[in-house]
Amino acid sequence: MINFDIPQLKHTASDNFFLMAGPCAIESEEMALRIAEKIVQITDKLEIPYIFKGSYRKANRSKGDSFTGIGDEKALKILEKVGKTFGVPTVTDIHESQEAAMAAAYVDVLQIPAFLCRQTDLLIAAAKTGKVVNVKKGQFLSAGSMKFAVEKIVSEGNNKVILTDRGNTFGYQDLIVDYRGIPEMKAFDVPVVMDVTHSLQQPNQSTGVTGGKPQLIETISKAAIAVGADGLFIETHPDPANAKSDGANMLQIDLLEDLLVKLIRIRKAVNY
């Protein structure tokens, strides 16, 4: 579980895993609020600590004409509104050092994308904001090597670090999850999250649009909870087929509650 304070994080007294969930990208205020409202209703009912996730800008796209965002300030203000409206913490990606302070003014958790997890200047800038820093493990790195990302952040006096696994590169167009990495990263005394939906991506497609295997979301989630993941990261949307980013591997939001109920049962069983 989380071993430090995150503003507005509820249900921390429960023995449930925590959840980071929301759309891949902020598409509009109406969409963000609708998704947040639905997830808050579910997580309050199930007493799951919840952090709303939404990227204010997507910097890593295969094609030059892919959707990247609705404007940085506009999207960040929507994230801020979600947090204030529903009383939940929020998380968003940052991509360059100068973005850290800007994003920190609007959200509670700064997320370092997997491809950027070794960028020292970016990690240091995020650490210096004093915010919680969630670092995604690079698809090209071992779990053990993530100790260096933790050390960089802690060296700045910030011990509020989360590590997130999102699978490992397998060939050119697939990812696999090595569940040994979850306990290995937990040994660094930080909360460890399984990014369920991104670990089901099928990157580098000839179309320039990343594919995915959303039918395996339940499988990946169950296995992660069974081996001790502290939290789950799940991108979800009312209409994944028409989402502007990563629709191929997102969870249809109407399926979320049933999935979480099953995962709570597994969590209780393994913690018996």
Side-chain angles (χ1 to χ4, degrees), residues 47-249:
E47 297 187 341
I48 294 173
Y50 172 53
I51 302 170
F52 177 84
K53 183 272 166 183
S55 296
Y56 73 89
R57 175 157 48 89
K58 302 300 296 183
N60 176 28
R61 302 286 85 189
S62 295
K63 296 168 63 179
D65 61 355
S66 295
F67 174 80
T68 57
I70 59 175
D72 291 358
E73 186 176 12
K74 182 178 181 180
L76 285 167
K77 286 183 175 179
I78 291 171
L79 283 162
E80 182 180 47
K81 184 170 183 177
V82 167
K84 290 181 177 179
T85 300
F86 298 105
V88 295
T90 55
V91 55
T92 198
D93 310 82
I94 58 172
H95 316 91
E96 298 183 49
S97 301
Q98 63 266 29
E99 296 178 29
M102 174 184 69
Y106 296 93
V107 301
D108 304 286
V109 183
L110 298 178
Q111 183 165 282
I112 309 299
F115 283 131
L116 302 177
C117 67
R118 291 181 55 175
Q119 297 298 103
T120 300
D121 289 349
L122 180 61
L123 291 169
I124 296 300
K128 286 182 175 179
T129 67
K131 296 287 184 174
V132 179
V133 183
N134 178 35
V135 188
K136 288 196 174 183
K137 184 186 77 65
Q139 302 93 317
F140 45 88
L141 289 178
S142 68
S145 65
M146 290 303 291
K147 68 180 179 180
F148 302 114
V150 175
E151 289 173 356
K152 289 174 185 178
I153 295 167
V154 172
S155 72
E156 295 299 320
N158 185 343
N159 65 354
K160 295 179 287 187
V161 186
I162 298 171
L163 293 180
T164 295
D165 196 342
R166 49 99 71 240
N168 304 288
T169 299
F170 186 71
Y172 289 115
Q173 295 176 319
D174 207 358
L175 299 167
I176 57 171
V177 178
D178 180 355
Y179 289 97
R180 296 174 299 177
I182 292 177
E184 188 169 358
M185 291 191 291
K186 282 170 66 77
F188 304 147
D189 196 29
V190 298
V192 174
V193 172
M194 182 75 239
D195 181 344
V196 177
T197 46
H198 284 106
S199 68
L200 291 168
Q201 283 184 333
Q202 293 181 300
N204 303 319
Q205 299 297 311
S206 59
T207 60
V209 178
T210 297
K213 297 180 179 178
Q215 68 272 21
L216 293 175
I217 287 172
E218 184 171 320
T219 300
I220 297 293
S221 301
K222 286 178 174 178
I225 294 300
V227 299
D230 299 293
L232 295 177
F233 180 106
I234 298 175
E235 290 188 339
T236 184
H237 195 280
D239 185 13
N242 289 304
K244 295 184 177 181
S245 178
D246 279 1
N249 50 270

Side-chain angles (χ1 to χ4, degrees), residues 11-29:
H11 308 302
T12 53
S14 76
D15 193 38
N16 285 329
F17 51 87
F18 66 96
L19 177 69
M20 294 183 180
C24 178
I26 298 298
E27 300 177 7
S28 69
E29 180 177 306

